[in-house]
Amino acid sequence: MKLYYGTPSPFVRKVWMAAHELNLTEKIELVEAAVLPGKENAEYANSVNPLRKIPALQIDDGSIILDSTVICDYLNDLHDKQQLIPASGPAKWQIQTAHATANGIMEAAVLIRYETFLRPEPQRWPVWIDEQWEKINNALGWFNERNNSDSMTIDSIALACALGYLDFRSPDFAWRDNFSKLATWHSKASQRASYLATIPK
Ligand SMILES: N[C@@H](CCC(=O)N[C@@H](CS)C(=O)NCC(=O)O)C(=O)O
């Protein structure tokens, strides 16, 4: 399998961390893909992902799997015990809902990055940026009240990567001050070998 990646992406990190937890990294070749708003990459868009986003996974029959949520589902299914996502039952839907919420934090944080780093200053929209921060804060509050599992199911992996991305891109955003239960959870989760092996550079 080939994983199209870029190291700073929290979505890529989630997939790669999942691959570590499932002991699948040796079956996956990493292929760097240059994707950035405003930068053309027609070859990637035509042959891999029409949305021109990473991650994308090419499986052994040549077909492409998108997006990070579906890739994690696919990798989980390769594993006999389906350890990241339960096969059925209420726990599956709770885990996938928390997974989607953590994805939302990543999405808002990535959009803030594009808006502040890539977009020329006169064209920026501060109200919209504040709204993304509000979404992030609301979701962090939601997780802070939740009983987050120490075992690395996909919701925990996604949450760890979302928090790691906030630390990486927005080191001045002191989320630990307001969400102390989450801070305690993250300090433990960030000791996992899969977390340490996937720290963005
Ligand atoms: N829903 C997608 C989101 C992936 C995503 O937004 N990736 C970013 C990098 S972190 C990207 O490829 N951005 C390029 C672009 O938006 O043009 C997923 O879960 O895989």
Side-chain angles (χ1 to χ4, degrees):
M1 294 180 279
K2 283 183 186 168
L3 178 67
Y4 291 88
Y5 86 107
T7 35
S9 165
F11 296 99
V12 169
R13 184 180 190 187
K14 176 185 67 175
V15 165
W16 197 224
M17 196 170 154
H20 276 269
E21 289 290 339
L22 295 167
N23 284 321
L24 286 172
T25 53
E26 281 179 12
K27 296 193 170 153
I28 300 174
E29 179 193 344
L30 293 174
V31 180
E32 192 158 13
V35 293
L36 259 193
K39 194 170 167 226
E40 211 191 326
N41 188 340
E43 195 195 329
Y44 183 75
N46 291 333
S47 63
V48 182
N49 183 350
L51 302 175
R52 215 181 62 183
K53 291 185 184 225
I54 48 170
L57 184 75
Q58 183 168 43
I59 59 174
D60 293 340
D61 69 3
S63 56
I64 300 284
I65 295 190
L66 308 172
D67 59 1
S68 69
T69 295
V70 184
I71 297 171
C72 289
D73 217 337
Y74 178 79
L75 297 180
N76 186 58
D77 270 10
L78 291 181
H79 199 272
D80 291 346
K81 291 192 184 134
Q82 301 200 312
Q83 70 184 54
L84 302 187
I85 307 162
S88 60
K92 172 177 179 171
W93 306 115
Q94 281 178 16
I95 284 173
Q96 288 289 44
T97 296
H99 177 189
T101 308
N103 283 350
I105 297 176
M106 295 181 198
E107 234 164 65
V110 168
L111 289 176
I112 290 169
R113 169 76 180 166
Y114 292 160
E115 182 75 6
T116 53
F117 181 72
L118 291 179
R119 194 189 283 263
E121 190 144 16
Q123 293 169 19
R124 290 181 198 158
W125 185 14
V127 175
W128 185 86
I129 296 174
D130 289 349
E131 228 174 72
Q132 302 308 314
W133 279 118
E134 187 191 338
K135 287 172 200 273
I136 292 171
N137 272 305
N138 287 345
L140 293 179
W142 186 86
F143 276 114
N144 200 52
E145 294 310 314
R146 181 176 179 259
N147 195 12
N148 300 302
S149 166
D150 285 338
S151 66
M152 285 290 120
T153 42
I154 196 62
D155 50 343
S156 299
I157 292 174
L159 177 58
C161 293
L163 295 171
Y165 188 73
L166 290 172
D167 284 343
F168 175 61
R169 286 294 191 215
S170 309
D172 296 336
F173 174 54
W175 60 269
R176 289 173 180 79
D177 294 352
N178 292 325
F179 306 110
S180 58
K181 281 198 268 172
L182 207 47
T184 306
W185 178 85
H186 182 253
S187 64
K188 209 163 159 190
S190 59
Q191 300 308 312
R192 297 280 295 193
S194 58
Y195 188 92
L196 295 168
T198 55
I199 289 175
K201 297 181 183 82

